[in-house]
Amino acid sequence: MDLEDKLLMMPGPVNVVPRILRAMSKPMINHRGDAFSELYDDCRKILADVFQTRNDIFVISGSGTAAMEAAVGCVAGPSDRIISLENGKFGERLKDLAGIYGDVVPLEYEWGHSFDLDELEKALQEGAKAVTMVHNETSAGILNPAKEVGELAKKYGALFIMDGVTSIGGDNVPVDEWGVDIAIVGSQKCIAAPPGLSMISVSERAFEAMDKDNLPYYLDLKAYRKSANKDKTQTPYTPAIPLFYGLQEALHIVAEEGMEARIKRHATAAAAVRAAMDAMGIEMFPQLNEYSRYSNTVSAMKAPEGLDGNKIKKAMLESGIIIAGGQAHLSGKIFRIGSMGNVSYGDIMRTIQQLALIFKKEGIISSIGPAIEAAADVIDNA
Ligand SMILES: Cc1ncc(COP(=O)(O)O)c(C=O)c1O
């Protein structure tokens, strides 16, 4: 089976439809000229709807981590207390960045467990310049309480930096309503463009807080703003033009579908996965509380007793479907199915059927019927 036959069902990169691939093969243009300016403006206009914000939005030629570093690196100075919530691999990354640039106050929870908002409030009472969190913690399949964290940050005058890398574009993320000062998304996730770009929205308050002497150079968000405000909208350094073409086409697809329909499709796809797991007696990995919920873009499940998560991943790969295992200490313990981007219900049903066949072969279930019926019911009733 060659690469073109593979179905990517991991939490990014996601399948990129031919329309986007074709858009990327256009000729190069002058990145300081009219054509690029129009391309960038078009992307920023659609992104404002996707982020639900009036804040400035920039596109960085670098993956999601570049935008994470831009956010923390521009705001945090050595003596600035930065509260970092962590319940998975990407929360850990933000915490590490906060430790490099600022004075990090880590609030760590077991991966996949929920935040304790009382603990956050206590930490905020001692003062902080910013709070960082991951909205959709991809490594654990948990959706963290952005609205509530935003309210607490605002109450204590702290900036709110939120990684929406795997929620923005696939779930409801009203950046302005939730008071997110800096929000981030990656191109290869729910927006379903190729990897390599990240998009970042920045509030006026956040710009005012970028008051330290040494801002990062390549990731200086003030430089991004200055370039975006020129007569011909542009980026400070040469952008990855083919990726911008791909992003523009991907955003047109987002706009044509409409965010409401897109969010519903993501939620239904993830609910279908969960229903199938329930029908097979497979447990979800996240430990929810009243503020957290299961992710609408990636489902994380505990590997069933006696079957290593990586073995499930390998068996799926042999049938042409790429799912994800667990990261770091979760390797082998969990497996993850992405339901993000331009994923179809057909893709979801094919994935569930193949997984059920593997579980049947391994003696975990006796029939594949219940899983398929449970998922189909969710999709039918959506
Ligand atoms: C929630 C989250 N944040 C950040 C990242 C890092 O993004 P990138 O790999 O594009 O640098 C990822 C990647 O999977 C992610 O899922």
Side-chain angles (χ1 to χ4, degrees):
M1 186 175 277
D2 75 18
L3 269 180
E4 298 210 354
D5 297 323
K6 294 251 190 300
L7 179 62
L8 274 177
M9 294 299 289
M10 50 189 248
V14 300
N15 294 302
V16 174
V17 297
R19 192 176 142 185
I20 298 174
L21 295 175
R22 280 194 300 273
M24 291 194 340
S25 63
K26 285 191 265 189
M28 289 311 102
I29 46 176
N30 171 11
H31 62 293
R32 309 278 178 224
D34 289 332
F36 183 79
S37 173
E38 280 161 28
L39 164 61
Y40 193 17
D41 281 342
D42 188 29
C43 290
R44 293 172 81 221
K45 187 165 160 282
I46 301 173
L47 284 166
D49 290 338
V50 173
F51 279 62
Q52 303 180 53
T53 187
R54 300 172 75 118
N55 290 338
D56 268 332
I57 297 190
F58 314 111
V59 180
I60 298 174
S61 294
S63 74
T65 307
M68 291 163 92
E69 183 147 13
V72 178
C74 288
V75 165
S79 57
D80 294 325
R81 273 167 57 89
I82 309 291
I83 300 174
S84 287
L85 291 154
E86 171 197 337
N87 61 353
K89 176 149 192 73
F90 299 103
E92 176 185 62
R93 190 170 297 179
L94 276 175
K95 177 194 75 181
D96 289 347
L97 284 164
I100 289 168
Y101 289 98
D103 175 16
V104 66
V105 181
L107 293 184
E108 295 156 327
Y109 304 94
E110 238 178 272
W111 288 14
H113 287 233
S114 300
F115 299 154
D116 178 343
L117 295 181
D118 293 335
E119 202 172 12
L120 171 62
E121 181 149 24
K122 279 198 197 100
L124 278 163
Q125 279 162 356
E126 288 172 33
K129 183 165 187 184
V131 177
T132 72
M133 71 168 256
V134 174
H135 185 210
N136 189 74
E137 180 49 79
T138 322
S139 63
I142 190 168
L143 191 74
N144 289 315
K147 177 171 175 274
E148 290 78 0
V149 171
E151 278 165 9
L152 283 172
K154 189 170 176 199
K155 183 170 167 193
Y156 292 95
L159 292 174
F160 181 23
I161 298 176
M162 193 190 78
D163 168 334
V165 168
T166 51
S167 59
I168 295 174
D171 208 338
N172 182 37
V173 188
V175 163
D176 287 354
E177 193 187 313
W178 290 350
V180 188
D181 290 289
I182 304 188
I184 293 157
V185 71
S187 54
Q188 77 277 29
K189 310 286 189 181
C190 301
I191 288 171
L197 298 178
S198 48
M199 284 66 79
I200 184 163
S201 72
V202 186
S203 72
E204 202 45 52
R205 226 161 65 93
F207 276 121
E208 282 160 19
M210 294 176 197
D211 50 4
K212 59 180 188 170
D213 292 334
N214 293 318
L215 287 174
Y217 192 94
Y218 190 76
L219 297 172
D220 175 353
L221 291 168
K222 285 185 170 171
Y224 275 83
R225 176 164 68 169
K226 196 170 162 202
S227 295
N229 286 343
K230 287 188 174 163
D231 280 352
K232 289 193 175 83
T233 321
Q234 52 194 267
T235 53
Y237 316 108
T238 314
I241 293 170
L243 293 179
F244 272 72
Y245 281 137
L247 174 67
Q248 182 185 34
E249 199 64 28
L251 289 170
H252 284 177
I253 293 173
V254 171
E256 285 161 21
E257 180 176 24
M259 274 310 292
E260 202 178 319
R262 195 170 181 88
I263 291 165
K264 185 168 179 209
R265 179 171 53 77
H266 278 79
T268 304
V273 171
R274 292 196 298 271
M277 296 305 147
D278 193 39
M280 295 190 285
I282 304 291
E283 262 182 82
M284 300 304 293
F285 175 65
Q287 298 291 310
L288 304 183
N289 69 6
E290 62 186 299
Y291 298 114
S292 49
R293 55 180 179 85
Y294 292 124
S295 164
N296 278 336
T297 65
V298 54
S299 302
M301 281 70 60
K302 293 183 188 166
E305 193 72 31
L307 184 59
D308 189 281
N310 289 325
K311 195 172 165 197
I312 301 171
K313 186 173 116 176
K314 190 159 169 275
M316 289 293 282
L317 178 63
E318 278 159 13
S319 73
I321 303 174
I322 304 175
I323 63 168
Q327 293 168 289
H329 63 276
L330 295 178
S331 175
K333 299 200 170 70
I334 66 168
F335 64 101
R336 294 173 298 146
I337 297 177
S339 52
M340 56 180 72
N342 294 322
V343 66
S344 71
Y345 293 144
D347 297 336
I348 294 287
M349 292 308 294
R350 184 177 148 198
T351 305
I352 287 167
Q353 174 181 299
Q354 193 54 44
L355 195 63
L357 281 167
I358 291 165
F359 286 156
K360 186 171 173 216
K361 204 165 148 209
E362 293 288 339
I364 308 287
I365 55 172
S366 56
S367 158
I368 67 166
I372 292 173
E373 202 165 334
D377 278 350
V378 169
I379 291 168
D380 258 8
N381 295 326

